Amino acid sequence: MIPLCLYRQVSERYWQGSGEEKKDEAPGGSHVPGDQPAPLGSQTNQQTRASEKKKKYKAAERHGKKAITRVCQSACDDHHWNTRIIAESEITEKESARHDQLLLQEDAGFLEGDEDEDTCTISQEDIADAVDITAGAKYFNLNLSQFGPYRLDYSKTGRQLLLGGRRGHVACLDWQTKQLLCEINVMETVNDVKWLHSEAMYAVAQKKWLYIYDSSGIELHCIRKFNDVLRMQFLPYHFLLATASATGFLQYLDVSVGKEVAAVGTKAGRLDVMCQNPQNAIIHLGHSNGTVTLWSPNQKEAIVKMLCHHGGVRSVAVDKTGTYMVTSGMDKKLKVFDLRSFKPFQSYFLPAGASSLALSHRGLLSAATGDIVQVYRDVWNTPVKKPYMAHKVHGAVWGLHFCPYEDVLGVGHGEGFTSMLVPGAGEPNFDGLDSNPYRSAKQRQEWEVKALLEKIQPDLISLDPGKLSQVDYATFKQKHQDKVKVLGYDPLARDKFKPRMRKKGRSSTGGVIRRKNQVAHEDKRIIITTLKEKAESAKERKKNNNGQTSAVRSALDRFKKRAAP
């Protein structure tokens, strides 16, 4: 079939482009009246015009069919060409993915010793001498014995280091270039320090209240609602600063608007052991009775309460996948728990116990015992009999923290700060859109705006993040019942049928009741009708099956009693 619009277009082009003219013209372009033929009769002229029109119509039809054939042929060629382009694009995508795998081949290189050599006996000086100059410069010591011991924290990108001395010394620096950003003394006790969403602001838990400073050391806020804060954790995707105080309160501060989101009384005494689960933003608190409790800003009671040790809990750490939790207690034991079942599956005995714990991106565990820092490898896969690395510092360890995307472990102790080299600790491939160590000031501002737009609300924090995609029917029913109690009636219920009052004696009592019965159970009639139809169809199907089975004869039918005629 030839499309009508295409046929008309081709016919019009043919009529416009035909070489025949309605009027004869001289070579010069002037019309010569004398050259015209003698006029014929009207009937002869009509027959001539009709025959000429018929010839031209047939010619146009032939021309149109050829044009349509060429158009269809070109369309087929275009289709084959598009198919070829799609196939080539798929091949290109596969090759680019293969190139990405080749480009992201950086893997964590662990420390390997010679034959019969234990890696924990290799000193930091030997490692620094063996590696290149850039990596060797990452091992250094800061002698700050006057204001120690020190707490520390690395920024999310891993470039900036924040130090807080017990006697009031606070300093932040770019630890790779050794460039000091600011250095102040708050002239009172500092319990903890923590970077906020970017390296432009940080929080300091001082003796009385919580203070916010910028990277230049200028005091921005003094939050007096948060008093006697001992430990802090920052939730980067929620913009929440969680604080644990000496009075037993767990408080959440939204740093984007500067308001307190929640304040929970744990009723567990002094809270000096705290960490967060990076997977679901749940706060883990360790208590003096050997329990570890899990908290969310949405609930006033603990989500989970676990008995981990027979003595007080000294330190808690959770890996980045949110699967394993490591705890150390006063009973000198180091335990590894599976947070999917909340059961321990590894337990180690340390002669002096572990006062501080930290987990790296690649699953290395660092444990501090007095002035000795030990690093363990694969503590949850196989039982570990000896440490992977060990290092002795100049004072009692007060804080441990692995640097993101670097094979570096920061140690805060009584004599200052030590940066250790731990091969295989850092994640070699970073996400440039989330935390880019090489971003400029403009990129940081754009990232901050985007992160604020994508901020997750505190109400979405739960133990199982997968429940956010499910519908809570029980909660919906409970809300509906509460609404009925408040309003006094069910807003979803249908109003009762009230017959209209008719005149001339047609609204008698019997007539009203008859009309009510006609409307009653109207919503159930469809269901009853459907059930009746299903029952009848099942009955007919059963009858047909019985008829089919009776039609089939077997060899034993000859012994059946035949009915009398």
Side-chain angles (χ1 to χ4, degrees):
M1 296 294 294
I2 302 173
L4 182 60
C5 59
L6 185 58
Y7 184 82
R8 288 176 179 173
Q9 292 177 5
V10 173
S11 302
E12 290 175 0
R13 290 177 184 174
Y14 177 79
W15 283 102
Q16 292 175 3
S18 60
E20 302 179 34
E21 301 291 335
K22 295 182 180 180
K23 297 179 181 180
D24 297 333
E25 294 184 0
S30 60
H31 179 64
V32 183
D35 295 340
Q36 293 182 356
L40 301 176
S42 60
Q43 187 174 1
T44 308
N45 292 340
Q46 291 178 359
Q47 292 177 357
T48 305
R49 293 194 195 98
S51 61
E52 290 178 356
K53 188 180 292 186
K54 191 173 183 180
K55 290 179 182 179
K56 291 183 179 180
Y57 183 81
K58 291 182 178 180
E61 186 177 0
R62 289 195 301 273
H63 187 76
K65 286 182 179 180
K66 292 180 181 179
I68 291 168
T69 304
R70 288 196 297 270
V71 170
C72 294
Q73 185 67 30
S74 64
C76 293
D77 295 341
D78 292 342
H79 175 70
H80 292 305
W81 179 252
N82 292 335
T83 307
R84 183 179 177 184
I85 290 175
I86 292 172
E88 290 180 355
S89 64
E90 291 178 355
I91 295 172
T92 306
E93 288 178 0
K94 291 181 181 179
E95 290 181 354
S96 63
R98 197 177 298 115
H99 290 322
D100 291 341
Q101 293 178 358
L102 294 174
L103 293 174
L104 297 177
Q105 282 295 323
E106 291 84 359
D107 197 2
F110 292 98
L111 189 63
E112 295 181 1
D114 298 333
E115 294 183 2
D116 300 332
E117 184 181 9
D118 197 353
T119 55
C120 66
T121 60
I122 302 175
S123 64
Q124 289 290 310
E125 288 78 8
D126 295 339
I127 297 175
D129 294 339
V131 298
D132 57 279
I133 298 175
T134 305
K138 296 176 182 178
Y139 167 66
F140 60 92
N141 292 285
L142 297 178
N143 297 321
L144 304 169
S145 59
Q146 186 177 359
F147 301 104
Y150 278 84
R151 297 276 190 193
L152 74 147
D153 185 37
Y154 287 99
S155 62
K156 190 178 179 181
T157 59
R159 291 281 302 188
Q160 284 75 21
L161 171 66
L162 180 63
L163 297 174
R166 180 73 175 173
R167 297 183 179 93
H169 180 225
V170 179
C172 58
L173 66 151
D174 187 337
W175 66 273
Q176 293 188 3
T177 60
K178 311 301 186 295
Q179 180 182 0
L180 184 65
L181 301 179
C182 77
E183 185 177 13
I184 58 174
N185 197 314
V186 298
M187 303 302 292
E188 63 177 350
T189 304
V190 172
N191 295 321
D192 200 3
V193 291
K194 186 65 62 176
W195 286 108
L196 298 184
H197 56 281
S198 68
E199 57 273 12
M201 289 191 295
Y202 59 89
V204 180
Q206 297 179 201
K207 183 179 180 180
K208 289 186 178 181
W209 301 306
L210 177 67
Y211 290 83
I212 307 295
Y213 297 90
D214 67 351
S215 58
S216 302
I218 300 173
E219 180 182 330
L220 300 178
H221 303 285
C222 174
I223 307 170
R224 301 192 179 187
K225 280 188 177 181
F226 293 71
N227 59 321
D228 300 328
V229 176
L230 296 179
R231 298 304 301 270
M232 296 186 295
Q233 289 291 329
F234 184 72
L235 310 179
Y237 301 105
H238 303 76
F239 283 77
L240 291 180
L241 179 65
T243 62
S245 65
T247 57
F249 276 88
L250 174 64
Q251 296 173 279
Y252 291 85
L253 175 69
D254 191 342
V255 299
S256 61
V257 294
K259 291 183 179 180
E260 183 183 15
V261 174
V264 183
T266 61
K267 302 177 184 178
R270 183 183 178 89
L271 303 177
D272 56 352
V273 178
M274 183 183 188
C275 78
Q276 67 162 309
N277 188 337
Q279 180 68 19
N280 52 19
I282 294 294
I283 297 296
H284 295 233
L285 296 178
H287 307 288
S288 58
N289 57 0
T291 60
V292 174
T293 54
L294 279 62
W295 298 87
S296 169
N298 307 320
Q299 299 185 12
K300 297 298 181 182
E301 298 293 333
I303 303 174
V304 178
K305 184 178 289 186
M306 305 167 56
L307 180 60
C308 300
H309 297 275
H310 296 293
V313 180
R314 301 183 67 183
S315 184
V316 182
V318 181
D319 73 322
K320 70 172 185 177
T321 61
T323 308
Y324 304 106
M325 179 181 70
V326 186
T327 62
S328 65
M330 298 293 290
D331 55 358
K332 300 180 182 180
K333 287 186 178 180
L334 180 71
K335 293 185 178 181
V336 182
F337 291 84
D338 190 346
L339 293 178
R340 294 168 293 187
S341 60
F342 301 103
K343 293 181 180 179
F345 64 95
Q346 295 290 347
S347 180
Y348 306 96
F349 178 79
L350 299 179
S355 59
S356 299
L357 298 174
L359 282 167
S360 71
H361 283 176
R362 304 291 294 185
L364 295 184
L365 172 67
S366 63
T369 303
D371 59 348
I372 297 176
V373 179
Q374 295 178 342
V375 181
Y376 297 90
R377 180 180 174 185
D378 295 334
V379 291
W380 40 71
N381 293 331
T382 56
V384 179
K385 297 182 180 179
K386 58 183 179 179
Y388 168 61
M389 291 185 64
H391 182 65
K392 184 177 181 180
V393 295
H394 299 291
V397 176
W398 212 48
L400 292 175
H401 202 290
F402 279 98
C403 180
Y405 312 109
E406 293 287 347
D407 293 342
V408 171
L409 171 63
V411 183
H413 48 82
E415 297 297 323
F417 171 78
T418 299
S419 178
M420 286 178 53
L421 293 177
V422 184
E427 176 64 39
N429 303 314
F430 61 88
D431 186 1
L433 299 177
D434 185 24
S435 52
N436 186 6
Y438 309 104
R439 64 187 180 189
S440 61
K442 183 67 175 177
Q443 290 175 335
R444 181 185 61 80
Q445 293 173 1
E446 293 178 355
W447 170 87
E448 189 171 354
V449 172
K450 184 179 178 181
L452 284 170
L453 293 174
E454 296 177 351
K455 185 181 74 169
I456 304 174
Q457 295 300 322
D459 298 338
L460 301 180
I461 297 177
S462 62
L463 191 62
D464 185 9
K467 288 186 177 180
L468 296 177
S469 59
Q470 302 175 1
V471 179
D472 192 354
Y473 296 101
T475 305
F476 175 76
K477 291 181 180 179
Q478 185 64 32
K479 287 183 178 179
H480 180 65
Q481 293 175 2
D482 296 341
K483 193 173 183 179
V484 170
K485 289 180 181 180
V486 172
L487 297 176
Y489 65 94
D490 190 356
L492 300 180
R494 296 179 61 183
D495 296 335
K496 292 184 179 180
F497 174 71
K498 295 181 180 181
R500 185 170 56 88
M501 194 66 181
R502 294 180 178 178
K503 295 181 180 181
K504 296 183 181 180
R506 289 182 294 177
S507 289
S508 61
T509 305
V512 171
I513 293 174
R514 186 171 58 255
R515 278 188 283 164
K516 283 186 177 180
N517 292 335
Q518 289 177 357
V519 180
H521 308 293
E522 186 178 0
D523 53 344
K524 296 182 181 179
R525 287 181 183 176
I526 300 175
I527 301 175
I528 295 171
T529 306
T530 307
L531 292 176
K532 284 184 177 180
E533 292 177 355
K534 287 184 179 179
E536 291 178 359
S537 61
K539 190 175 180 180
E540 292 179 358
R541 197 181 306 112
K542 186 177 180 180
K543 186 177 180 181
N544 296 332
N545 293 336
N546 293 335
Q548 291 177 2
T549 54
S550 62
V552 178
R553 295 178 59 84
S554 65
L556 300 177
D557 289 344
R558 68 184 68 181
F559 300 105
K560 290 183 179 180
K561 292 183 179 180
R562 295 183 180 179

